[in-house]
Amino acid sequence: CEGPGVCRSGRKDMALRRAASLAADRQPRCPRLPRPAREGTVRWSSAAKASAVKINEKASREKILTLESMNPQVKAVEYAVRGPIVLKAGEIEKELRKGIKKPFTEVIKANIGDAHAMGQRPITFLRQVVALCTYPNLLDSPSFPEDAKKRARRILQGCGGNSLGSYSASQGINCIREDVASYIERRDGGVPADPDNIYLTTGASDGIATILKILVSGGGKSRTGVMIPIPQYPLYSAAISELDAIQVNYYLDEENCWALDVNELRRSLNEAKTYCNPKVLCIINPGNPTGQVQSRKCIEDVIHFAWEEKLFLLADEVYQDNVYSEGCQFHSFKKILYEMGPEYYNNVELASFHSTSKGYMGECGYRGGYMEVINLHPEIKGQLVKLLSVRLCPPVSGQAAMDIVVNPPVPGEESYSQFIKEKESVLNNLAKKAKLTEDMFNKVPGIHCNPLQGAMYAFPRIFIPSKAIEEAKAHKMAPDMFYCMKLLEETGICVVPGSGFGQREGSYHFRMTILPPIEKLKILLEKVKDFHIKFLEKYA
């Protein structure tokens, strides 16, 4: 060694490293990547900065995905319920939070049927079972009733590894599909239901879009036409646009409480046959946005029409628990089809849909739902399961929530009295709010509202003066969009223009939910009344 702690081999290594370092300094270098300094700042070499600028300039000039290059079917999709007016409402909310003064203190979002967001309390039993399924350790807790524990254990036994976190079969958990089939049989007075025809879905919307996807085919005049009611729920027009199918409108009769007339169906069908192949008929019962409840006779006429014209029936029945008017009753298409006899029941292809999101539950966020599909060709059934398997499975927590909708507490069980009290409270409140909304709107000059027989919306017709229509055109807006935007800006009330749902030419409407608490709903309706009167005065 040559000195303390230094040996010859060590000195030789140090010399070699110095030489290598000097040689490297003489070589041209690539720009260094930025390294965070100890204080958290980032230091860039000038060469790296220049390189980054060039890269950014190049990237901004050469986007792969643009409005011109994107899927044109996606660009054609419109969904009014969360459209421009809702975006504007979000901007106004941000301004209010920043302290910007408005003629109101809050935005009331009456644009969407989101019950819990409007203050509706969850059904205790449903939340108890989902909580037990989510955290099974709670099964040992004395705080939960035994009937909730019994259902949770059954659901967990159907899950892989007894865990809600596992995938399920693509068609859904088997025991839940069995419960759905039992529910349908009870609802329909003993009409048989096969669990193998039940498909659990991510809300009803997922089921509707899936069935439409498998139905659409052809090109030119043979392209599939899908008959939908006008006014309609925008899911249908959006799905049809996305699939590049042909939308075939049939109009509900506003003068007759939004009734469905088979003569109008026939007119629409015959007209459509000149430019497409109409093979799907969609019915929303109870109606959204119109709130009508179809009579038994109407449903029979529709089924006969579908049988006669060889149309595949889609029955959107998510509001089946929401029927308020005296003399109105929900009849499922499945039940009426069965009662019309084997010639109909064994031949008409029918898909029916239900959901956790509406009714008395209002559990929109769980995205639970099911569809029952009957008289499907066996080979198509295999194709449907294949298509569903691509998305693996619907959310298992949503499946659990759907199970409680179809398998609630029954008389004699521990939770029954609380469950029925909560359920009836929600539905009775909705019935009161439906009548209140109808009555208050019909007292306002220039507004007419049909009876809200069911569902959870009002769809009043509004008179818009010609001067306001001209101003709307100057702003490149539909007249009812202009009206709704003014309503939002002056009152903070967010509703959806009728043009987003479809309406007869020259008529104007808006849709608003009746879900707010009754005192807030009264304030909302008073504000709409005051606004409408001022609007008429301004544009008279």
Side-chain angles (χ1 to χ4, degrees):
C1 288
E2 299 181 4
V6 180
C7 61
R8 285 185 186 134
S9 61
R11 292 188 61 166
K12 196 176 290 182
D13 287 344
M14 288 169 66
L16 286 169
R17 282 198 295 272
R18 272 195 224 104
S21 177
L22 288 168
D25 284 340
R26 296 188 189 105
Q27 300 297 319
R29 293 191 176 193
C30 294
R32 290 181 181 178
L33 291 172
R35 291 184 182 179
R38 288 180 184 176
E39 293 80 10
T41 58
V42 177
R43 293 171 182 160
W44 294 80
S45 70
S46 57
K49 285 178 184 176
S51 176
V53 168
K54 286 180 182 178
I55 290 168
N56 285 334
E57 284 177 353
K58 190 175 181 181
S60 65
R61 289 196 305 266
E62 298 180 2
K63 294 288 186 190
I64 294 167
L65 184 60
T66 66
L67 284 172
E68 289 70 35
S69 67
M70 71 174 287
N71 184 334
Q73 272 64 62
V74 174
K75 190 160 59 171
V77 168
E78 292 183 3
Y79 189 65
V81 174
R82 296 197 175 193
I85 201 143
V86 183
L87 297 176
K88 180 67 176 177
E91 291 173 11
I92 292 173
E93 282 183 316
K94 288 178 183 175
E95 290 172 356
L96 286 171
R97 284 195 292 270
K98 289 176 181 176
I100 298 171
K101 295 296 181 185
K102 302 281 181 185
F104 47 86
T105 56
E106 66 170 330
V107 172
I108 302 175
K109 290 186 175 176
N111 61 295
I112 194 166
D114 192 350
H116 293 185
M118 286 290 181
Q120 181 177 309
R121 304 299 300 164
I123 298 296
T124 302
F125 188 76
L126 187 150
R127 288 295 183 91
Q128 286 174 331
V129 176
V130 175
L132 290 163
C133 290
T134 305
Y135 189 59
N137 288 3
L138 294 173
L139 288 165
D140 297 324
S141 169
S143 301
F144 289 79
E146 283 304 317
D147 48 358
K149 291 179 180 179
K150 178 183 174 183
R151 283 165 176 77
R153 288 189 185 100
R154 183 166 182 268
I155 292 167
L156 288 171
Q157 285 168 6
C159 297
N162 292 321
S163 172
L164 214 62
S166 60
Y167 287 128
S168 76
S170 297
Q171 203 168 336
I173 296 171
N174 189 58
C175 68
I176 298 177
R177 291 191 292 115
E178 289 171 356
D179 287 345
V180 171
S182 297
Y183 162 79
I184 292 169
E185 289 183 359
R186 291 194 309 274
R187 182 197 67 188
D188 293 344
V191 175
D194 183 351
D196 204 36
N197 292 333
I198 307 297
Y199 304 80
L200 301 181
T201 57
T202 307
S205 302
D206 171 51
I208 292 164
T210 298
I211 289 293
L212 285 175
K213 193 178 289 185
I214 209 165
L215 277 162
V216 172
S217 64
K221 287 188 177 182
S222 65
R223 189 66 174 167
T224 297
V226 181
M227 299 179 69
I228 63 172
I230 298 297
Q232 52 106 19
Y233 177 50
L235 160 71
Y236 290 92
S237 54
I240 290 165
S241 293
E242 187 178 352
L243 295 168
D244 198 23
I246 307 299
Q247 179 174 318
V248 178
N249 297 338
Y250 66 87
Y251 290 89
L252 301 176
D253 184 1
E254 184 172 10
E255 306 306 316
N256 191 21
C257 205
W258 299 112
L260 194 165
D261 184 356
V262 171
N263 291 324
E264 168 62 12
L265 288 180
R266 199 169 302 283
R267 177 209 63 79
S268 173
L269 180 79
N270 290 337
E271 197 175 281
K273 283 179 177 177
T274 63
Y275 57 84
C276 70
N277 174 26
K279 64 179 182 183
V280 187
L281 173 57
C282 302
I283 309 289
I284 309 173
N285 180 46
N288 176 10
T290 46
Q292 85 286 1
V293 178
Q294 305 291 357
S295 68
R296 181 190 179 92
K297 174 69 166 60
C298 175
I299 294 172
E300 288 176 350
D301 290 345
V302 170
I303 290 171
H304 177 75
F305 177 77
W307 172 81
E308 187 178 47
E309 298 292 346
K310 297 182 179 177
L311 297 171
F312 195 113
L313 263 177
L314 303 189
D316 183 339
E317 299 174 336
V318 301
Y319 297 100
Q320 58 189 260
D321 289 305
N322 301 104
V323 177
Y324 315 124
S325 294
E326 285 187 22
C328 290
Q329 182 182 349
F330 170 75
H331 302 279
S332 78
F333 269 75
K334 163 87 176 293
K335 180 185 180 184
I336 304 302
L337 178 63
Y338 186 83
E339 292 173 352
M340 287 175 71
E343 188 174 12
Y344 293 93
Y345 184 69
N346 293 329
N347 290 293
V348 174
E349 293 154 275
L350 169 68
S352 306
F353 306 90
H354 196 17
S355 167
T356 62
S357 301
K358 309 303 176 185
Y360 58 90
M361 309 78 64
E363 294 283 7
C364 304
Y366 277 119
R367 309 308 300 130
Y370 75 75
M371 60 181 176
E372 182 186 25
V373 191
I374 60 173
N375 291 324
L376 207 57
H377 190 288
E379 291 178 356
I380 293 299
K381 197 167 187 174
Q383 293 295 317
L384 176 57
V385 172
K386 178 187 75 175
L387 183 59
L388 291 170
S389 70
V390 173
R391 56 94 160 111
L392 297 177
C393 68
V396 180
S397 55
Q399 295 185 49
M402 190 75 244
D403 188 68
I404 307 313
V405 175
V406 299
N407 185 25
V410 296
E413 287 190 306
E414 183 180 352
S415 300
Y416 178 74
S417 59
Q418 183 182 7
F419 166 77
I420 205 70
K421 181 181 177 182
E422 292 175 351
K423 175 182 176 180
E424 289 179 353
S425 173
V426 170
L427 294 176
N428 289 338
N429 273 331
L430 284 169
K432 288 176 187 173
K433 290 188 280 190
K435 191 72 175 80
L436 171 73
T437 303
E438 176 196 339
D439 290 346
M440 288 191 71
F441 273 146
N442 285 328
K443 290 175 184 174
V444 183
I447 295 183
H448 173 73
C449 185
N450 273 323
L452 279 63
Q453 297 176 339
M456 49 184 62
Y457 312 99
F459 196 67
R461 184 169 182 165
I462 51 175
F463 172 69
I464 298 181
S466 56
K467 189 176 174 184
I469 293 171
E470 289 304 314
E471 190 167 330
K473 286 179 182 175
H475 287 86
K476 297 182 179 179
M477 287 185 185
D480 49 8
M481 171 64 87
F482 177 76
Y483 177 96
C484 292
M485 197 65 80
K486 289 288 185 186
L487 176 66
L488 172 64
E489 290 168 351
E490 294 180 24
T491 69
I493 295 169
C494 179
V495 296
V496 189
S499 49
F501 300 87
Q503 55 199 355
R504 284 195 180 274
E505 188 73 27
S507 69
Y508 306 107
H509 304 78
F510 64 79
R511 189 193 81 162
M512 60 159 273
T513 182
I514 60 170
L515 286 171
I518 198 155
E519 292 308 315
K520 182 174 275 192
L521 182 63
K522 286 177 182 176
I523 294 168
L524 185 156
L525 293 168
E526 284 290 343
K527 283 187 171 186
V528 172
K529 181 188 80 171
D530 293 343
F531 166 82
H532 188 77
I533 291 168
K534 289 176 185 175
F535 186 86
L536 292 183
E537 289 172 354
K538 180 178 180 180
Y539 292 102

